[in-house]
Amino acid sequence: SILVDDNLNLYIADMDNNRVMRYAANASIGTLVISGSIDKPYSIAFRTSIPNQLFISAMGMRQLELWTQNTSTRTALIGTSSTHFDEPS
């Protein structure tokens, strides 16, 4: 999944590498936004009122999560150990 914010930053959910990258407008090298404890990020969304928080559906974890960029802070919003989604997108 890709997402473009108001500043023309491009966000990419890199599912096979278990990370989310951000590319500034006209950049060829990206910035790692989230990695490590995310499993197969698939879709990305955010609230423009709080731009450092990303909503990410993670296929491997079968959850919808709220992440704070550049930290390891995450909250599982939907999907728990007993109520997982089947490949959310």
Side-chain angles (χ1 to χ4, degrees), residues 43-86:
S43 294
I44 309 168
F46 63 86
R47 293 182 284 187
T48 55
S49 61
I50 308 175
N52 68 328
Q53 291 185 334
L54 296 171
F55 295 93
I56 300 175
S57 66
M59 289 177 64
M61 293 163 26
R62 300 180 177 180
Q63 293 180 335
L64 175 64
E65 300 178 337
L66 176 63
W67 282 79
T68 302
Q69 291 185 56
N70 304 314
T71 72
S72 59
T73 303
R74 75 170 187 212
T75 303
L77 299 175
I78 302 171
T80 65
S81 59
S82 62
T83 59
H84 285 169
F85 286 116
D86 185 18

